[in-house]
Amino acid sequence: MTTLDDVFNEGGLFAQAIPGYRPRAQQIEMARAVGRAIDTKTPLIVEAGTGTGKTYAYLVPALLSGGKVIVSTGTKTLQDQLFHRDLPRVRAALKAPVTIALLKGRANYVCQYHLERSLAEGRFARKEDVAHLHEIARFAKTSRDGDKSGCAKVPESSPVWASAVSTRDNCLGSDCPNYQDCFVMKARREALDADVVVVNHHLFFADVWLKDEGAGELLPRCNTVIFDEAHQLPEVASLFFGETVASGALLELARDSRAEALAAAKDFVHLPAAASALDKAVRDLRLVFGQETPRLPQHALAERIDFLDALGNLDDALAELAERLADQAERSEGLDACRRRAQEQSAVLRRWRAGLIPAPAAPKTGAEVKEENPAEAVFWLEVSPHGFQLNATPLDIARLFARQLNQERAWIFTSATLAMNGNFKHYAHEMGLWDAEHAAWESPFAYKEQALLYVPQGLPEPNSREYTAAVVEAALPLIKLSQGRAFLLFTSLRAMREAYDLLNARMPAMGMKYPLLLQGEGTRTELLDRFRTQANAILVASQTFWEGIDVKGEQLQLVVIDKLPFAPPDDPVLAARVDKINRAGRNAFMEYQLPRAAITLKQGAGRLIRDEQDFGVLMIADPRLVEKPYGKQIWKALPPMLRTRELNVVERFFAHIGRVAENTEAQSAE
């Protein structure tokens, strides 16, 4: 029987199969902890610093356990990396006869039914969209899995995809005429048969755990669930346990209802009229806020008569459409599916108006777990430039999550950022993992030799109007020293755009002609590709780029963070949770806000050093890091870099980096 020592030790299976592999004590210790948790079915929370090799540390004991394993990751990009690179490599090294499957959400697979209907309707006016639709059709004929990531000729951002895939709302399920050839069903069948299934957090909660009848079979069959990038779970779980009415979903319902009426109920004129009325009611509600894009709790809208009138009209229009669809539902599967969607959305909207949120049912584990009382929640509105969402978010997911775990399987939660100074209390309390084992291992990187933390002096208060300009002025000398090769990460889109404009104006005057990239000028993947391929590039971004980004080598030598990433105080969910904690006699800032900020900052700081050969400077501009009593707790949570407030120390560090690079090049030449 293969043991962990057989795999990880010097001369072991990894050393034989993976070029350049070297044993790391942290990796081996983590693998043992995961192995014990799998054997004893004990929940385990693990923090492993960057460079530990945590992916291999959990995959090896999982594959050796012999049971069915679900691995859930933070993003689809990490899913693909696990499935296409890490799992095959570990499986080959172990010579383990395990089968693996990749399962994504329904909207990632081409839907033959919706594709054919879109081709027949010819609804697209732009030549580019028509060409993209036909390219998707060609791809669907030759693709084995129908995963849209394999259709390279159609950008992921193309609006055509919405008409070539299905959603939970508009999928016809077993009533679909293309059911036997459905790419989604094929992926699910492969997942049910596989030993290891790779999903992402949103899919795990939305499909695997409970809500979707098809993928819901996965969880009862598995022995181990592993959450990688587990720091994202509280936010994802809040979405799952809550409810949302989104303008986009309502407009899609109106559009689909018109299309289905045209196909199966041409003689019933009231149905298209009801769909158009819903369309208008959705748009009228958005128009109430004009150019504003607020995030407001429900009680703050109580005096807005224009909003309340528009909300009432929306409720009436949705109920009318549901009634008209019910009249015609027997005429086609598509009309019946629209009826179900309309009735479900109408029920959620009315619960939102009444300030009610139902408690979640138990997951499909075979056990009967019931929650009698509705969950305490905050009801709030979020308005975007083109739409809105009515959200109901539970204030406390810990009780909801904990009640639905069980002892039938092992639950592993791992990330590089879960603890604050080695303390897991915040995460365990937030997720209801009070009885979980926990362990932490620091990164094997030599941070005191590889990295410098710089907090500039003399910056104004972070909430002052001149703050972003001051951050840019403080960063410019460092950008010159690093010769570009920088990430500038901001806590708000407004500050990000202001900084970009300032850099565009100031850099040429200082003789710097480095490529300047801005978040939003392409997809995240496109921007990263440009950053990696354009010498001396600078990327200006928001928190979208704070995690899941891996740029190794001299291409990235400077990371600038403008502020400590506290959530905005006017966020309705944060405000309600803070109020609840304080009303209970506890300190919400120290217990909730500070740990969250520290964990988020660790994620941003983690972009800098990704390899044993990396060097660089982390500039955190926020003076609160050193001037406020709580600041010390935050910087102690960061990797153990050298620290300074003096620019001349930064200059010497960059000079040192240059000498190291020259010596490395000289040794390579020899």
Side-chain angles (χ1 to χ4, degrees):
M1 178 180 174
T2 303
T3 66
L4 295 178
D5 288 340
D6 294 334
V7 178
F8 290 105
N9 281 357
E10 197 144 355
L13 295 178
F14 273 176
Q16 297 169 33
I18 302 173
Y21 174 81
R22 294 195 306 276
R24 280 163 282 184
Q26 299 95 326
Q27 186 181 53
I28 298 172
E29 290 172 14
M30 177 178 165
R32 288 179 178 141
V34 172
R36 286 193 298 272
I38 292 174
D39 290 341
T40 60
K41 295 183 172 54
T42 304
L44 174 67
I45 309 172
V46 176
E47 179 176 278
T50 306
T52 300
K54 62 182 171 65
T55 304
Y56 288 4
Y58 66 68
L59 283 180
V60 170
L63 266 60
L64 293 178
S65 70
K68 189 177 184 74
V69 180
I70 297 175
V71 182
S72 181
T73 69
T75 64
K76 287 182 287 186
T77 301
L78 290 173
Q79 260 190 287
D80 288 332
Q81 177 180 306
L82 255 173
F83 179 75
H84 294 293
R85 189 188 73 182
D86 297 331
L87 261 170
R89 189 176 290 177
V90 172
R91 180 174 62 176
L94 300 182
K95 298 181 175 60
V98 297
T99 54
I100 63 176
L102 178 68
L103 186 60
K104 297 181 180 179
R106 187 187 277 106
N108 290 278
Y109 302 95
V110 175
C111 171
Q112 305 278 14
Y113 173 79
H114 287 288
L115 175 61
E116 290 172 7
R117 194 178 74 172
S118 297
L119 286 167
E121 290 175 356
R123 69 175 68 154
F124 296 103
R126 294 195 315 161
K127 288 183 179 179
E128 181 184 33
D129 291 342
V130 174
H132 282 166
L133 192 64
H134 285 282
E135 186 59 49
I136 293 171
R138 284 190 288 271
F139 165 75
K141 289 178 181 177
T142 58
S143 174
R144 190 195 74 82
D145 56 15
D147 186 340
K148 70 179 188 181
S149 65
C151 186
K153 293 184 179 180
V154 180
E156 192 173 344
S157 57
S158 171
V160 173
W161 279 117
S163 300
V165 300
S166 68
T167 65
R168 183 189 318 281
D169 288 335
N170 66 21
C171 175
L172 299 180
S174 58
D175 293 328
C176 179
N178 302 89
Y179 184 74
Q180 294 303 320
D181 300 319
C182 175
F183 288 123
V184 173
M185 296 312 301
K186 180 181 179 183
R188 287 178 174 173
R189 286 192 294 268
E190 291 178 355
L192 286 172
D193 292 338
D195 300 306
V196 182
V197 185
V198 182
V199 301
N200 63 60
H201 298 336
H202 285 274
L203 177 68
F204 180 87
F205 280 100
D207 281 19
V208 176
W209 191 315
L210 177 65
K211 289 188 177 178
D212 192 283
E213 294 292 339
E217 299 174 56
L218 275 175
L219 189 59
R221 298 190 184 190
C222 87
N223 304 84
T224 302
V225 178
I226 300 172
F227 294 107
D228 200 347
E229 303 296 326
H231 62 278
Q232 298 177 3
L233 287 181
E235 185 172 346
V236 177
S238 293
L239 292 172
F240 164 74
F241 287 124
E243 290 188 317
T244 296
V245 177
S247 58
L250 295 177
L251 292 173
E252 189 177 82
L253 170 62
R255 184 198 71 193
D256 290 347
S257 298
R258 278 193 295 267
E260 293 296 343
L262 187 64
K266 288 182 181 179
D267 56 333
F268 192 70
V269 296
H270 301 296
L271 186 48
S276 296
L278 175 61
D279 194 305
K280 182 178 184 302
V282 171
R283 299 181 193 281
D284 286 347
L285 180 56
R286 173 60 189 86
L287 288 172
V288 166
F289 296 94
Q291 299 299 311
E292 298 177 76
T293 55
R295 292 160 60 94
L296 297 169
Q298 189 183 58
H299 63 78
L301 296 160
E303 304 300 321
R304 290 285 303 260
I305 302 302
D306 53 352
F307 169 77
L308 296 177
D309 286 345
L311 186 65
N313 291 338
L314 176 63
D315 194 348
D316 292 343
L318 185 54
E320 174 71 12
L321 178 61
E323 186 176 335
R324 296 303 185 187
L325 285 165
D327 291 340
Q328 305 296 310
E330 293 183 358
R331 299 179 73 168
S332 76
E333 292 90 347
L335 285 170
D336 191 44
C338 288
R339 173 196 59 79
R340 287 195 304 270
R341 291 161 61 186
Q343 290 175 342
E344 288 168 5
Q345 289 287 284
S346 182
V348 175
L349 176 57
R350 292 189 172 176
R351 283 197 292 270
W352 192 91
R353 295 184 73 186
L356 295 172
I357 182 174
K364 292 176 172 51
T365 60
E368 284 296 321
V369 182
K370 292 183 179 179
E371 180 64 60
E372 297 298 334
N373 300 315
E376 187 179 359
V378 56
F379 297 82
W380 55 289
L381 166 76
E382 181 173 24
V383 181
S384 66
H386 304 293
F388 63 83
Q389 286 188 331
L390 303 170
N391 303 295
T393 305
L395 292 182
D396 181 5
I397 64 165
R399 179 175 55 88
L400 300 172
F401 189 82
R403 285 177 67 92
Q404 302 190 57
L405 296 179
N406 61 66
Q407 306 304 315
E408 297 176 10
R409 60 188 60 86
W411 299 84
I412 314 295
F413 303 81
T414 183
S415 170
T417 55
L418 290 175
M420 183 171 177
N421 302 323
N423 189 327
F424 289 90
K425 182 178 179 181
H426 165 73
Y427 187 79
H429 184 81
E430 195 168 16
M431 292 297 295
L433 299 170
W434 302 289
D435 298 325
E437 299 287 332
H438 51 79
W441 288 275
E442 292 186 356
S443 167
F445 296 154
Y447 276 102
K448 289 186 177 179
E449 285 76 43
Q450 292 180 253
L452 177 71
L453 170 60
Y454 171 56
V455 183
Q457 301 182 61
L459 265 70
E461 287 294 314
N463 60 357
S464 64
R465 294 181 65 179
E466 65 271 19
Y467 183 73
T468 299
V471 171
V472 171
E473 285 301 312
L476 281 167
L478 275 66
I479 293 171
K480 192 160 191 174
L481 289 167
S482 65
Q483 299 178 340
R485 299 185 284 194
F487 278 2
L488 275 69
L489 304 176
F490 293 85
T491 51
S492 74
L493 293 173
R494 180 202 57 76
M496 177 193 80
R497 295 186 186 104
E498 181 184 349
Y500 177 80
D501 291 339
L502 289 166
L503 288 167
N504 253 331
R506 294 281 286 118
M507 283 171 49
M510 298 178 66
M512 292 188 281
K513 298 181 180 179
Y514 308 131
L516 193 58
L517 310 176
L518 177 67
Q519 176 184 316
E521 293 181 335
T523 66
R524 194 165 87 152
T525 301
E526 290 167 350
L527 283 173
L528 279 174
D529 288 342
R530 287 163 60 190
F531 183 87
R532 290 187 178 106
T533 55
Q534 294 181 335
N536 310 96
I538 301 166
L539 174 64
V540 184
S542 74
Q543 285 184 261
T544 301
F545 282 81
W546 284 51
E547 59 180 278
I549 304 297
D550 195 9
V551 179
K552 296 179 181 178
E554 63 178 16
Q555 191 63 28
L556 178 61
Q557 293 193 348
L558 172 65
V559 172
V560 175
I561 294 175
D562 71 329
K563 291 182 184 180
L564 300 181
F566 289 108
D570 60 348
D571 179 277
V573 178
L574 173 71
R577 285 178 174 162
V578 165
D579 181 62
K580 180 181 179 182
I581 293 170
N582 288 336
R583 279 191 284 108
R586 310 200 308 270
N587 186 325
F589 180 78
M590 298 302 294
E591 180 181 316
Y592 185 72
Q593 294 166 277
L594 187 64
R596 283 172 69 94
I599 288 171
T600 304
L601 186 65
K602 284 168 68 175
Q603 278 290 331
R607 298 317 98 210
L608 182 64
I609 303 299
R610 307 299 300 174
D611 189 82
E612 293 171 345
Q613 306 303 318
D614 285 358
F615 292 87
V617 171
L618 170 66
M619 172 180 147
I620 301 178
D622 197 326
R624 293 174 295 181
L625 189 65
V626 292
E627 294 174 3
K628 297 292 184 183
Y630 58 78
K632 185 176 181 180
Q633 294 189 47
I634 295 180
W635 66 249
K636 282 176 66 178
L638 295 172
M641 307 173 183
L642 290 173
R643 295 175 170 85
T644 187
R645 303 201 72 184
E646 304 294 334
L647 182 59
N648 62 355
V649 176
V650 180
E651 292 169 347
R652 290 199 298 271
F653 188 84
F654 274 114
H656 168 69
I657 292 176
R659 288 193 297 272
V660 170
E662 289 173 5
N663 291 338
T664 303
E665 288 175 10
Q667 291 170 7
S668 299
E670 292 173 2

